Amino acid sequence: MHQQVALIASSVDGGNVTTWDVSTGTLLATYKTNVSPRNGFCRLGRDYLIGSQLGKGSLHFWSWHKDHVLQRAFTVEPMQAIAATADGMYVAGGGASGTIYIWATGSGQLLRSWPAHYKAVTSLVFTQHSGGLLLSGGEDTVVSTWLLMDVLDASLSQQAMQQQPPTPLYSWSEHTLPVTSIHVGAGQANAIAVTASLDRSCKIWSLAQGTLLRSLTFPASIHSIRTDPGDHALYAGAGDGRIFETSLVGEVTGGEGTGERAEAGYYTLEGTTTAVTCLATTTDANQLVSGCEDGTVTVWDMRTRQPIRTLQKAGKGAVTAVLLMDRPAFLAAGQGGRGEKPNSSAHNSSKKGPQRPQPLAPFSKYYGAAGGVKPWEGVPVVIDGSTPYRGAVSTSGTAAMMNSSQQDRDLPSGLDMSAIGSNEPVGLQAENKKLREQLQQAQHASERWQHLHSELHSACVNKLLKTSG
């Protein structure tokens, strides 16, 4: 298993972002100048971190190999919540006015802003991996799900973008007090979404159907939530310092060898007496890291449900974010002052950073501004070799730029040579044909599975009826 590190952000004035080794409790690195609100700090793609600044209309960016702020951006209003897609292409921010803003990371352009909530936005989350859905929660007790394809509809004019707010895919108003946290599980469009509120409840939703699957009630207000990587267990951090664990797949039981059973459908982990503001789990689900309002950060062993390590003691300001991930390749090693000093070659590599960092342009403050891209330029693209070379093809669709021998090598077998003179490039025609064949195969497979499902359902129903009769 890869080395797991924890990034801890706080809201103390003049605070820093600290990076810890979860398994040993060693301070690895420190990133300076951060005062982020709750839900206002996250990872930005592969190479950066981003944090909104509490009470200020600014965003701070850090790269892994430098301990100081790499870039600053100024916003119309202070951002209460920040989220980024997994690939780092888009950043969403939620303001105190209830407005949501979306920027393109590569160009820095503010792509759209719209009034999403009647009160302040408290939480923003993109779906994992694809980032096709954006979930937002606010002090108005409403949770909305936005389809990114509709929000960034390129067919709309700039005037329509400003005057016509997008319609949410789903809008849930089952909470009765402000929403404090949102978590999206694995599974992309088929994932579950969990919302928490000060009304002491957690609600589990289906993103595929937009329906409420389950509602859980706890004896205290809930400030943070998290599921394990397999969505088998739900952890809810309460306002009185307790952490409630409940099973999403079966009955809750005690730790290994304890023989304990949870009462009222959940198990309780007791630590500090202040609110648990953030939670994170390791990739193997064996450890849980909790951050509290008094500054305490604790590592829990989930097999015994006991605290095994304290990464940060009380007195350093409220913890506003805890991020767990595999150790980045270009982490600024040795800045913590307590970790093992790297060798010279690794240290120099860490200082230089990646050779091809992801594009990061200065963010625009207002809609319609060019951002960090000139009017005649496009969005920067990193060419990393992941896309195969298709060969030179003219815009008219003819292969005048290619000699006949090169055509014979590049054309797929069985392709009609008469297609070379058509309006589409040859490579695109072949890919289009291949995709159509795959679509037909998928449709046939879907029909077969539907037929098998229908037969299985009928057999089960008949068996149950015969048994009951």
Side-chain angles (χ1 to χ4, degrees):
M1 181 178 144
H2 298 289
Q3 181 186 14
Q4 293 270 289
V5 298
L7 275 75
I8 301 172
S10 66
S11 60
V12 63
D13 192 16
N16 300 319
V17 178
T18 54
T19 307
W20 303 77
D21 187 331
V22 177
S23 60
T24 63
T26 302
L27 178 62
L28 300 176
T30 300
Y31 299 94
K32 301 176 181 178
T33 318
N34 175 70
V35 187
S36 59
R38 194 180 303 177
N39 299 325
F41 181 85
C42 69
R43 185 175 183 175
L44 178 56
R46 181 189 64 218
D47 300 323
Y48 308 106
L49 299 168
I50 179 174
S52 60
Q53 301 307 295
L54 185 64
K56 302 176 182 179
S58 64
L59 303 173
H60 287 185
F61 300 82
W62 298 265
S63 59
W64 290 115
H65 63 289
K66 294 183 179 180
D67 64 346
H68 56 271
V69 176
L70 175 70
Q71 180 175 300
R72 289 179 173 87
F74 297 96
T75 56
V76 176
E77 60 175 323
M79 296 292 105
Q80 303 286 91
I82 284 290
T85 55
D87 56 10
M89 290 186 62
Y90 301 104
V91 172
S97 65
T99 304
I100 294 180
Y101 306 81
I102 292 188
W103 290 270
T105 306
S107 66
Q109 289 180 306
L110 178 60
L111 301 178
R112 193 166 192 178
S113 63
W114 72 96
H117 293 269
Y118 296 106
K119 293 185 179 181
V121 179
T122 56
S123 184
L124 288 172
V125 177
F126 281 100
T127 49
Q128 299 182 23
H129 307 300
S130 65
L133 296 176
L134 172 65
L135 280 75
S136 64
E139 291 183 358
D140 58 359
T141 75
V142 177
V143 177
S144 297
T145 302
W146 310 90
L147 190 62
L148 200 59
M149 181 176 61
D150 291 340
V151 172
L152 305 180
D153 190 353
S155 64
L156 297 177
S157 63
Q158 288 191 359
Q159 184 177 4
M161 281 276 197
Q162 290 180 303
Q163 297 180 355
Q164 301 175 8
T167 302
L169 180 64
Y170 308 122
S171 186
W172 303 316
S173 56
E174 274 71 9
H175 287 295
T176 58
L177 288 176
V179 177
T180 55
S181 183
I182 302 174
H183 175 73
V184 177
Q188 300 188 22
N190 293 320
I192 61 170
V194 187
T195 59
S197 170
L198 295 179
D199 62 7
R200 304 186 303 169
S201 71
C202 289
K203 300 188 184 296
I204 304 173
W205 309 86
S206 168
L207 286 182
Q209 301 176 353
T211 56
L212 179 63
L213 301 176
R214 187 177 176 185
S215 182
L216 303 170
T217 303
F218 299 97
S221 59
I222 303 302
H223 291 249
S224 57
I225 49 174
R226 184 69 54 180
T227 63
D228 66 351
D231 292 337
H232 296 150
L234 170 67
Y235 307 103
D240 58 3
R242 290 182 291 177
I243 301 174
F244 303 110
E245 176 195 353
T246 186
S247 175
L248 299 180
V249 295
E251 187 178 10
V252 181
T253 59
E256 293 181 356
T258 62
E260 299 175 347
R261 290 189 178 273
E263 298 179 359
Y266 54 83
Y267 197 88
T268 304
L269 287 71
E270 296 186 0
T272 64
T273 57
T274 59
V276 180
T277 54
C278 41
L279 295 168
T281 60
T282 55
T283 53
D284 58 5
N286 288 333
Q287 294 178 342
L288 174 73
V289 181
S290 63
C292 298
E293 205 165 46
D294 63 357
T296 304
V297 179
T298 306
V299 181
W300 302 80
D301 185 350
M302 297 315 299
R303 289 167 293 190
T304 60
R305 297 189 178 91
Q306 296 296 324
I308 58 174
R309 192 172 297 110
T310 299
L311 298 182
Q312 183 173 290
K313 296 182 179 179
K316 294 190 176 181
V319 178
T320 56
V322 173
L323 306 181
L324 281 185
M325 64 191 73
D326 291 340
R327 177 168 179 161
F330 297 96
L331 181 67
Q335 293 176 13
R338 295 188 294 169
E340 181 180 354
K341 297 294 181 181
N343 56 49
S344 58
S345 61
H347 192 48
N348 293 334
S349 175
S350 177
K351 281 187 174 182
K352 293 178 181 178
Q355 293 183 353
R356 297 184 181 90
Q358 288 183 283
L360 177 63
F363 279 22
S364 301
K365 185 175 182 179
Y366 301 104
Y367 178 75
V373 176
K374 301 295 188 296
W376 59 86
E377 294 178 336
V379 177
V381 177
V382 176
I383 302 176
D384 57 2
S386 60
T387 303
Y389 174 66
R390 295 181 179 275
V393 181
S394 65
T395 56
S396 63
T398 63
M401 301 292 292
M402 303 168 57
N403 56 50
S404 58
S405 61
Q406 182 66 30
Q407 290 182 27
D408 294 338
R409 288 194 298 269
D410 288 344
L411 288 177
S413 60
L415 182 66
D416 185 7
M417 295 298 294
S418 63
I420 295 180
S422 65
N423 294 328
E424 285 187 314
V426 176
L428 294 181
Q429 289 181 352
E431 185 176 359
N432 188 16
K433 180 180 178 181
K434 182 179 179 180
L435 291 175
R436 289 181 180 275
E437 293 176 352
Q438 292 178 353
L439 177 61
Q440 291 179 355
Q441 294 175 1
Q443 290 175 342
H444 292 326
S446 176
E447 292 175 357
R448 290 197 301 270
W449 280 110
Q450 289 179 357
H451 180 68
L452 292 174
H453 178 270
S454 178
E455 291 182 347
L456 181 60
H457 180 269
S458 300
C460 293
V461 170
N462 295 332
K463 185 175 181 180
L464 289 174
L465 291 176
K466 290 179 180 179
T467 304
S468 61

